[in-house]
Amino acid sequence: MGKVQVENIKAYAYHGCLAEETRIGSDYLVNVTVEADLSKAALTDALKDTVDYVHINKIVKEEMAIPSKLLEHVAKRISDRIFVEIPMVLESSISVSKISPPINGDVEKVTISINSKRT
């Protein structure tokens, strides 16, 4: 087994429950960790035998572009697509952070995380 981590994917998106959030948008950071059997790739040195992190980045960018009220919903969509489009992934951990959330306080970010296993 092995892990592929794609860290701090930056996106500007329009998620939130407040009308202001969906109108003006905000900055987000997404972290993805997936687990898969990477032993074949270690031997073959072939991209087709591993988890392509370019593909993960593409999924994140596309899903972040679709507005949602909840970050949990966005993370679940990202996870679902990873399992559908990258069959060798066995587990995923997705975290989505909203930078400077509008919560009447000096808060750097809020983060949600979901962990999923292939069923």
Side-chain angles (χ1 to χ4, degrees):
M1 288 299 280
K3 291 183 181 183
V4 174
Q5 297 173 263
V6 187
E7 299 178 335
N8 293 324
I9 302 168
K10 296 176 184 172
Y12 195 86
Y14 299 87
H15 307 303
C17 293
L18 303 175
E20 169 188 329
E21 294 174 294
T22 59
R23 189 177 68 252
I24 63 172
S26 58
D27 290 309
Y28 294 83
L29 289 176
V30 179
N31 290 289
V32 176
T33 300
V34 297
E35 292 190 31
D37 182 353
L38 303 178
S39 59
K40 186 175 180 181
L43 295 172
T44 65
D45 197 27
L47 181 59
K48 68 179 179 59
D49 294 329
T50 193
V51 176
D52 184 355
Y53 50 81
V54 173
H55 192 167
I56 290 174
N57 186 65
K58 177 181 179 281
I59 290 170
V60 169
K61 293 291 192 170
E62 289 174 357
E63 292 302 324
M64 289 298 290
I66 302 168
S68 288
K69 290 178 184 161
L70 301 177
L71 299 180
E72 294 86 341
H73 189 252
V74 180
K76 175 80 166 87
R77 288 198 327 259
I78 292 168
S79 181
D80 288 349
R81 275 196 58 196
I82 287 171
F83 285 125
V84 167
E85 297 179 25
I86 310 173
M88 71 182 302
V89 170
L90 302 174
E91 295 184 26
S92 72
S93 177
I94 314 294
S95 67
V96 181
S97 300
K98 180 180 280 193
I99 309 301
S100 300
I103 59 174
N104 295 326
D106 186 13
V107 176
E108 178 185 356
K109 64 184 175 181
V110 295
T111 302
I112 67 89
S113 298
I114 63 166
N115 301 309
S116 304
K117 292 183 178 186
R118 182 175 293 282
T119 55

